[in-house]
Amino acid sequence: MKTKILVVDDEADLELLIKQKFRRQIREGVYEFKFAANGQEALDCVQANPDLDIVLSDINMPVMDGLTLLTKLHDLNAVVKTVIVSAYGDMANIRTAMNRGAFDFVCKPVDFTDLQVTMEKTASHVQQLRQTLRAIQENNILKMYVDETVINFMARPGFENSLMLSETVEATVVFIDICGFTSLSEVLPAGTVVTLLNTYFDQIVKAVIAQGGYIDKFMGDAVMAVFRGEFHLDRAIDAALAVRSVIQAQQNILPDGSAYQPRVSIGINTGEMVSGNIGSASLRRLDYTVIGDTVNVSQRLQSSAKPNQIIITDAIYAKVKESFQCQEVGEVHLKNKAKPVMTYEVMA
């Protein structure tokens, strides 16, 4: 990787000397040099070249000296590192330079072997700093796409060595579907559809997180949420009630002037399920999720629910009837279930 270096010095001969001493590295693309005669020219150059790695700067220069330059460089480029190259090598100047952010100090007359070692050390530090900043940026982007629970799971010691391992957990799964949105998307511009959907999803996510759940995935116009830990079933139902309430409160005016009142259908089921990474380790495409009959039943309960209904089974009703108001809906036939399932609607 080419190291880009700005040399700041008012000595006209230094540019020629630098090009001579490092001609092989310049020819091979190891170093690329730029030159400035004073601190102000250096600031202009740094601003025009954000990919600079190193500044080699003298102290005593017209217009703006090297020590003043040090106080201004960080605001323009927080990554570039400065090495002071000066005949003023007394301790006072060295301390001032270091306190103002210099990475190192080389005394004149220049020992070019020592200068090269210093440049290599500085370039290595800059490269590590850029990698760290990129990792932080990528992590922030990752958090926009991956739930915090999944990130915490991936951060566990030995994660990479146990990618395909799974565990059986007790949890509650909630499927939330925005009713009629598929047909709405057939008549609205794509931009309007995405804006509406993101608005509803954001409100759903907030309600889920407020009750300690996490979003497993978005599926078209539906959301799958998982609740684990203490009182996971109660918290899941509270989240579902909050989602229904906040979505019911919405009313959007569509481009044709008509009003759209969004509604949700929700299915909830609780019990044992398998938690882990599903996918291909060799392809490096994995989905951290939960699977099992409990999950399937939750999705099918949602499919049987009417707009604004929160549907649970009679087994769940027996667990929560003292905490939530429910009413009987009746038996429904769920896909791949031999017997009908008695269902209840959570009212409040």
Side-chain angles (χ1 to χ4, degrees):
M1 183 179 296
K2 182 184 291 186
T3 300
K4 298 186 178 182
I5 304 167
L6 171 62
V7 180
V8 190
D9 201 302
D10 61 336
E11 294 182 16
D13 293 341
L14 183 62
E15 179 175 345
L16 180 60
L17 192 58
I18 288 283
K19 290 179 178 178
Q20 288 177 347
K21 292 293 185 179
F22 297 107
R23 61 182 181 276
R24 180 179 60 81
Q25 292 90 335
I26 294 172
R27 184 173 62 248
E28 294 175 356
V30 177
Y31 295 148
E32 177 183 323
F33 288 96
K34 295 183 179 297
F35 298 89
N38 57 65
Q40 185 56 58
E41 288 184 13
L43 290 178
D44 295 338
C45 186
V46 171
Q47 191 166 22
N49 298 273
D51 58 345
L52 281 171
D53 298 300
I54 303 172
V55 174
L56 303 178
S57 177
D58 193 9
I59 290 180
N60 188 23
M61 296 179 292
V63 184
M64 181 187 294
D65 62 77
L67 296 178
T68 303
L69 172 63
L70 280 171
T71 65
K72 300 179 181 295
L73 273 176
H74 188 270
D75 292 336
L76 282 181
N77 189 324
V79 175
V80 68
K81 295 302 176 185
T82 303
V83 176
I84 294 296
V85 183
S86 175
Y88 294 88
D90 58 277
M91 186 55 66
N93 276 309
I94 292 175
R95 292 298 302 160
T96 300
M98 302 305 286
N99 287 336
R100 293 186 182 185
F103 184 77
D104 210 333
F105 200 109
V106 174
C107 292
K108 291 182 177 179
V110 177
D111 179 336
F112 282 92
T113 300
D114 177 59
L115 178 61
Q116 182 171 354
V117 171
T118 302
M119 287 170 15
E120 290 173 354
K121 178 185 69 174
T122 308
S124 176
H125 179 83
V126 171
Q127 184 178 359
Q128 291 175 6
L129 182 57
R130 290 190 193 280
Q131 290 172 348
T132 300
L133 292 174
R134 181 176 179 180
I136 293 172
Q137 183 183 40
E138 289 173 348
N139 187 56
N140 289 335
I141 294 172
L142 178 65
K143 287 181 178 179
M144 296 175 64
Y145 289 89
V146 181
D147 188 271
E148 189 77 22
T149 303
V150 180
I151 294 176
N152 292 337
F153 173 81
M154 291 189 296
R156 296 191 308 186
F159 167 75
E160 292 186 357
N161 298 324
S162 59
L163 279 178
M164 306 309 292
L165 296 182
S166 60
E167 58 179 336
T168 301
V169 299
E170 280 280 340
T172 299
V173 179
V174 181
F175 279 85
I176 305 165
D177 183 74
I178 303 173
C179 302
F181 203 84
T182 301
S183 59
L184 190 68
S185 65
E186 295 174 355
V187 297
L188 289 179
T192 302
V193 171
V194 171
T195 299
L196 280 176
L197 197 56
N198 285 341
T199 298
Y200 302 147
F201 278 169
D202 190 51
Q203 293 166 339
I204 291 171
V205 167
K206 289 177 180 177
V208 169
I209 292 175
Q211 291 298 331
Y214 69 91
I215 303 301
D216 184 285
K217 60 175 64 71
F218 297 100
M219 306 167 293
D221 55 6
V223 177
M224 174 181 167
V226 180
F227 294 78
R228 296 172 63 172
E230 194 174 16
F231 301 112
H232 54 82
L233 176 56
D234 285 18
R235 290 186 287 108
I237 295 176
D238 281 332
L241 289 168
V243 167
R244 183 175 66 182
S245 177
V246 72
I247 295 298
Q248 277 183 320
Q250 298 295 307
Q251 188 173 61
N252 300 95
I253 303 301
L254 303 180
D256 63 2
S258 62
Y260 172 63
Q261 176 68 62
R263 295 179 294 178
V264 291
S265 59
I266 301 175
I268 301 175
N269 198 26
T270 191
E272 283 192 352
M273 58 198 72
V274 176
S275 173
N277 283 304
I278 307 299
S280 169
S282 58
L283 188 61
R284 303 186 71 83
R285 291 291 298 275
L286 299 170
D287 184 16
Y288 180 71
T289 187
V290 290
I291 60 172
D293 185 65
T294 300
V295 180
N296 297 338
V297 169
S298 177
Q299 193 276 326
R300 288 159 190 164
L301 289 172
Q302 178 274 310
S303 296
S304 72
K306 296 177 181 179
N308 288 337
Q309 277 191 330
I310 301 171
I311 299 299
I312 59 176
T313 65
D314 55 344
I316 296 177
Y317 169 69
K319 295 179 180 180
V320 302
K321 61 183 179 181
E322 295 182 358
S323 302
F324 298 94
Q325 297 178 17
C326 305
Q327 70 177 27
E328 183 179 314
V329 174
E331 292 185 337
V332 296
H333 290 274
L334 302 181
K335 184 179 178 181
N336 294 333
K337 290 292 180 183
K339 297 180 180 180
V341 176
M342 177 62 70
T343 59
Y344 288 77
E345 176 183 358
V346 180
M347 307 302 295

